[in-house]
Amino acid sequence: MSFPPNLKLNDGNEIPLLGYGLGTARFKRNRGPLDQELVDLTKRAIEIGYYHLDGAEVYGNEEELGAAIKASGVPREKLFVTTKISATEKKDTEEAFVLSLKKLGLDYVDLYLIHGPFFAESDEELQQKWADLEAIKASGRAKSIGVSNFLQEHLEAILKTAKVPPAINQIEYHPYLQHGDLVAFHKKHNIAIASYGPLVPITRAQGGPVVPVYQRLAEKYGVTDSDVGLRWVLDQGIVTLTTSSKESRLKGYLERLPKFSLEEDEVKEISEEGNKHHYRAFWNDKFAKDDRR
């Protein structure tokens, strides 16, 4: 069985369970010349075997992603490319999407997401934005459509009027942010989950209660703490995104992750320890500090 395996979405399309993200560490705030270092890094990630590539308008590096795709020489149909429309700005959806395609140098994307609900002042605005994405999907220029950083109330709003339900919701997800009943809500409505920031307990919230568990399991399986952190997400059937800029680490994940999986009680133990500590690393200005969803 090849790695990473695919997850079948509610629209029949498939998404690789492990992806390479161009956000956070590779964020490009200032418009400027092409960042060749990022192009080379992303091209190398593709060559190593990361065919699921997660980008966004707000990351400022769609041109770099497009250049890396072109330079890799990998046939377009073998790649799964995601991009997103702004979470905070009121934009013409069609114009924003056309510009993203132009920067990427692509005729279509595999997944187009609303990066967040924060632009909307009403349910009606969310519903209209979703209708815009449905039109893009109908045109064939986005194979699947979904959302990101949506809580249950945002999903409920668009489900009221949606002709096509969201295929996926990409959220910050790790042991310290398990979102309460939100995961169960996704399962009920057959909406997949993608996790960004899966390694926050290691990278940003060091010293928390899951770290000793990671270390013990890493020793048991002969892997790294990060492998265990990624496996905890993967073993729940959740799409997992890594943004590592280290080639050795990217290679290591593809070599080690297929060789082990956590037992059910080990997944549960990490979940229980994680629930003892709450930490959100991203979008803290948009979510209440104590919001565990």
Side-chain angles (χ1 to χ4, degrees):
M1 183 176 166
S2 63
F3 188 87
N6 288 343
L7 176 71
K8 194 165 189 176
L9 299 171
N10 60 19
D11 59 8
N13 294 323
E14 295 188 354
I15 183 171
L17 266 170
L18 184 66
Y20 177 72
L22 280 82
T24 55
R26 310 309 302 182
F27 209 97
K28 184 178 168 187
R29 293 188 183 278
N30 302 314
R31 293 184 181 277
L34 203 68
D35 181 345
Q36 193 58 47
E37 182 187 347
L38 177 55
V39 174
D40 293 342
L41 174 64
T42 307
K43 173 176 175 278
R44 190 69 191 118
I46 297 169
E47 291 169 347
I48 290 168
Y50 287 84
Y51 285 3
H52 173 184
L53 304 163
D54 183 82
E57 172 192 304
V58 75
Y59 299 161
N61 54 29
E62 286 175 310
E63 289 172 331
E64 282 80 1
L65 174 54
I69 289 170
K70 186 175 181 181
S72 75
V74 173
R76 172 66 184 93
E77 62 273 13
K78 287 192 174 184
L79 299 174
F80 189 100
V81 181
T82 300
T83 198
K84 314 174 188 82
I85 190 170
S86 173
T88 56
E89 297 178 54
K90 295 179 190 290
K91 293 194 167 193
D92 181 284
T93 312
E94 176 66 18
E95 284 181 14
F97 181 68
V98 167
L99 183 57
S100 284
L101 283 185
K102 183 180 177 183
K103 288 180 176 178
L104 290 165
L106 300 177
D107 297 324
Y108 71 93
V109 292
D110 297 274
L111 181 61
Y112 193 47
L113 304 179
I114 303 173
H115 206 154
F118 314 118
F119 66 92
E121 296 170 38
S122 66
D123 286 356
E124 289 74 21
E125 279 190 84
L126 282 177
Q127 291 162 352
Q128 181 55 56
K129 185 65 72 175
W130 185 251
D132 293 346
L133 262 68
E134 289 178 326
I136 288 169
K137 177 176 168 61
S139 76
R141 293 170 296 158
K143 303 296 184 186
S144 297
I145 52 175
V147 296
S148 181
N149 299 302
F150 273 44
L151 300 179
Q152 183 170 327
E153 58 258 38
H154 307 124
L155 289 167
E156 286 174 337
I158 61 173
L159 285 171
K160 283 178 186 173
T161 57
K163 297 183 178 71
V164 177
I168 200 165
N169 184 13
Q170 186 183 121
I171 55 177
E172 180 182 344
Y173 184 81
H174 47 76
Y176 299 150
L177 188 61
Q178 297 181 47
H179 294 274
D181 297 331
L182 187 59
V183 173
F185 182 84
H186 283 85
K187 287 180 179 173
K188 178 183 175 184
H189 292 277
N190 196 23
I191 299 170
I193 299 172
S195 160
Y196 69 82
L199 297 180
V200 159
I202 295 171
T203 60
R204 293 188 178 226
Q206 297 96 332
V210 302
V211 173
V213 187
Y214 281 180
Q215 291 171 343
R216 190 184 78 242
L217 294 175
E219 191 172 337
K220 172 185 173 180
Y221 290 110
V223 296
T224 70
D225 295 8
S226 295
D227 296 331
V228 174
L230 294 179
R231 257 290 159 208
W232 179 79
V233 183
L234 290 166
D235 287 342
Q236 296 177 68
I238 292 173
V239 177
T240 308
L241 301 172
T242 175
T243 57
S244 177
S245 59
K246 293 185 178 177
E247 183 179 329
S248 60
R249 191 167 290 163
L250 291 172
K251 273 185 174 178
Y253 291 153
L254 293 185
E255 289 167 2
R256 294 185 301 269
L257 288 172
K259 294 179 180 176
F260 81 108
S261 58
L262 299 176
E263 295 174 9
E264 196 174 321
D265 63 331
E266 293 168 341
V267 172
K268 186 180 178 184
E269 181 185 6
I270 292 170
S271 300
E272 289 173 349
E273 289 300 310
N275 275 327
K276 295 176 182 177
H277 181 69
H278 174 64
Y279 185 92
R280 181 187 283 279
F282 303 96
W283 297 101
N284 280 303
D285 60 327
K286 302 299 182 187
F287 293 105
K289 194 165 181 61
D290 61 350
D291 191 342
R292 294 172 181 266
R293 295 175 297 167

